[in-house]
Amino acid sequence: MTLGKNFRLPSDIRPKSYDADLRIDMAEGRFDGQLIITLGLTAARREIVLHAVDLEVTSAQIGPIGQIGSPGSPGSPGSPGSAGTLSTAATADPVSQTVTLTFAEELPAGPAKLTIGYRGAFSPGLRGLYRAGPLAVTQFEAADARRLFPCFDEPAFKAIWRLSVGGVPDGAVALGNGVATRDEPDGPGTRRVTFAPTPPLSSYLVALIVGPIVPSPVVRVREVPLCTWTTEDKRHLVAFAQETAAAVLPRLEDYFGLPYPFGKLDQIGVPDFEAGAMENAGAITFREVALLADPATAPLAVQKRVAEVITHELAHQWFGNLVTMEWWDDLWLNEAFATWMAYKIVDDWRPSWRIWMDFEGGKGVALALDALVSAHPIRAEIKNAEEAGESFDAITYEKGGAVLRMLEGFLGADHFRDGIRLYMRRHREANATADDLWGALEEASGQPIVEM
């Protein structure tokens, strides 16, 4: 029996960390994986449900911490209280996009370690792990990390990610959320790259990019290394993206009152990309036209659009990545805030652009949609990941941003900023809801925001 399209993960089991060991085959478009998930269980259970799409689970083993092997050397099954428990079944449910692991013995409440072996293929579309010209690239928002990892693929299940990828061709680059800490031979013509652990992240913010891309010169912005990557034939178009990010990053740090949280900042131009950009923590991917521009020849409208997109994605590194929505109901707040913040910061950087005029144009598009019979509220009840994907529109972004701008105008810029800073400090590296933000704004301003 299917779990149903609107299935939500139970809250009595939560991931603490993922150790993901991947081996990709760029020529065949396939991958093998071994994943160790450190879990916390608040109740005894014999079943664990994970998200997975088009992944073949080849082994699964669970046991108390310290009794299951590390990637590449899974522990052997044994009697109760020894090495662990083999799963008796791995049952896939395409409707809920899950796999249920049923174990031979009940695992008691407490910390546990789940080791999963699996394999799969690159996705045929522009999501999961897919081909983008000569690159292999991930795109996980809203809910496609499950196409590369069996995982708890909902935003509330934040965890530390430690990623290693083998099969990287010699001459290719591998980028992830963290800096590469090891790069070593991995068989004839290939390498294995290991990345530094991430802070706690929702699965949709994990990233992997592999292929023949080249870097800009690295710029350090308040000790944050900043680099823009693209294919060789477009490397002459990265300087404006570097200039923009270097200008807006310190402005965002000052506004939030918190340093940039992810160590390094890579901006990657992707040849085939569905969205304008994606705010993966520390490794932001862009459609090439939203990142690459030559200011000597690009019209002002193009420069403004590139600057706005870059700043939008950088704003997400705090509002969305450091503090993440509990569920997709608050997708509007995530995107509306980044939309509003991008215009505010770019206007501070380049006031002669009068970029708030462009904001009014975008609001006009949103109001035109708002007049249709098919219009939806800014905040809509989201029942599943598919509905979340349908919410990325001008009502969510531009109308939502306009509402936040009105709220800032009502409270005053200083009170509004103080409320944002309080919200960020209170919920950093965790999840929050819109009501948490309204409460922080009310506390900072003394105005009845929640009631409003």
Side-chain angles (χ1 to χ4, degrees):
M1 185 177 72
T2 180
L3 295 171
K5 188 175 182 178
N6 297 335
F7 171 77
R8 296 278 297 275
L9 294 171
S11 60
D12 65 336
I13 178 169
R14 304 190 73 86
K16 304 298 183 183
S17 66
Y18 294 86
D19 287 85
D21 186 348
L22 288 172
R23 176 174 295 279
I24 62 173
D25 186 327
M26 292 285 283
E28 296 295 326
R30 299 194 60 81
F31 56 84
D32 293 277
Q34 184 153 305
L35 191 65
I36 292 181
I37 311 177
T38 303
L39 301 168
L41 285 73
T42 58
R45 55 168 54 242
R46 286 185 59 181
E47 287 188 345
I48 293 178
V49 181
L50 298 157
H51 288 109
V53 175
D54 296 331
L55 298 178
E56 179 189 356
V57 174
T58 56
S59 64
Q61 194 178 12
I62 195 165
I65 296 293
Q67 294 185 356
I68 299 293
S70 59
S73 58
S76 301
S79 58
S82 62
T85 307
L86 275 180
S87 68
T88 57
T91 307
D93 178 6
V95 176
S96 62
Q97 300 187 338
T98 61
V99 60
T100 299
L101 305 177
T102 305
F103 297 95
E105 304 161 12
E106 186 172 75
L107 193 75
K113 187 175 288 187
L114 172 64
T115 302
I116 304 173
Y118 66 99
R119 54 181 170 241
F122 289 18
S123 300
L126 302 179
R127 55 183 178 168
L129 176 66
Y130 71 95
R131 293 189 185 279
L135 310 181
V137 179
T138 56
Q139 169 58 34
F140 290 159
E141 191 180 30
D144 289 305
R146 62 192 69 179
R147 297 178 184 274
L148 183 57
F149 308 108
C151 61
F152 297 81
D153 200 14
E154 294 178 7
F157 291 80
K158 298 183 86 165
I160 294 166
W161 288 78
R162 290 179 283 265
L163 177 61
S164 176
V165 57
V168 177
D170 288 343
V173 171
L175 300 175
N177 301 100
V179 298
T181 56
R182 296 178 68 184
D183 190 329
E184 55 197 344
D186 185 47
T190 65
R191 303 171 357 258
R192 171 164 294 278
V193 179
T194 301
F195 301 101
T198 71
L201 286 182
S202 300
S203 52
Y204 79 94
L205 295 167
V206 175
L208 177 65
I209 302 94
V210 178
I213 51 176
V214 295
S216 69
V218 174
V219 175
R220 299 194 75 86
V221 183
R222 292 183 178 175
E223 301 307 313
V224 176
L226 165 63
C227 187
T228 300
W229 300 77
T230 186
T231 52
E232 174 68 38
D233 59 318
K234 300 184 180 73
R235 71 183 309 166
H236 62 290
L237 298 174
V238 301
F240 182 68
Q242 283 285 98
E243 178 189 5
T244 300
V248 303
L249 185 62
R251 287 173 165 84
L252 288 164
E253 286 188 326
D254 292 345
Y255 187 88
F256 288 112
L258 291 171
Y260 173 76
F262 299 111
K264 59 90 176 174
L265 176 57
D266 289 322
Q267 303 184 112
I268 304 104
V270 178
D272 296 300
F273 198 74
E274 183 177 19
M278 176 60 208
E279 66 268 18
N280 312 301
I284 305 171
T285 45
F286 293 80
R287 189 184 295 190
E288 289 179 327
V289 296
L291 179 70
L292 307 176
D294 181 355
T297 58
L300 179 58
V302 171
Q303 296 180 51
K304 289 198 286 186
R305 173 60 178 161
V306 169
E308 186 266 322
V309 173
I310 288 173
T311 311
H312 180 111
E313 305 309 324
L314 286 178
H316 272 314
Q317 302 301 304
W318 288 265
F319 203 104
N321 296 8
L322 184 63
V323 179
T324 310
M325 60 200 159
E326 284 274 359
W327 178 244
W328 300 107
D329 286 352
D330 285 322
L331 170 67
W332 79 270
L333 185 59
N334 199 26
E335 298 300 346
F337 184 91
T339 298
W340 165 80
M341 177 62 90
Y343 284 94
K344 185 178 182 69
I345 295 296
V346 172
D347 181 63
D348 183 69
W349 174 44
R350 292 286 175 87
S352 63
W353 282 359
R354 301 178 67 196
I355 200 166
W356 284 115
M357 298 295 290
D358 299 82
F359 181 87
E360 292 301 318
K363 186 173 71 174
V365 173
L367 294 178
L369 289 178
D370 215 25
L372 300 176
V373 174
S374 58
H376 63 83
I378 297 175
R379 184 190 187 278
E381 181 183 1
I382 303 297
K383 297 178 181 177
N384 53 62
E386 183 177 313
E387 290 185 1
E390 295 169 355
S391 298
F392 290 83
D393 65 6
I395 293 176
T396 297
Y397 285 66
E398 276 76 18
K399 184 182 177 184
V403 169
L404 292 177
R405 191 180 187 206
M406 291 168 62
L407 188 55
E408 184 202 30
F410 171 72
L411 295 180
D414 289 345
H415 282 150
F416 189 84
R417 182 203 60 212
D418 291 345
I420 295 297
R421 288 178 174 179
L422 176 61
Y423 170 81
M424 299 303 300
R425 292 195 304 270
R426 189 169 283 169
H427 301 287
R428 62 184 302 172
E429 296 191 346
N431 297 87
T433 66
D435 283 345
D436 293 321
L437 176 61
W438 308 146
L441 290 170
E442 181 169 301
E443 189 172 332
S445 67
Q447 297 292 337
I449 305 301
V450 175
E451 182 180 350
M452 287 173 56

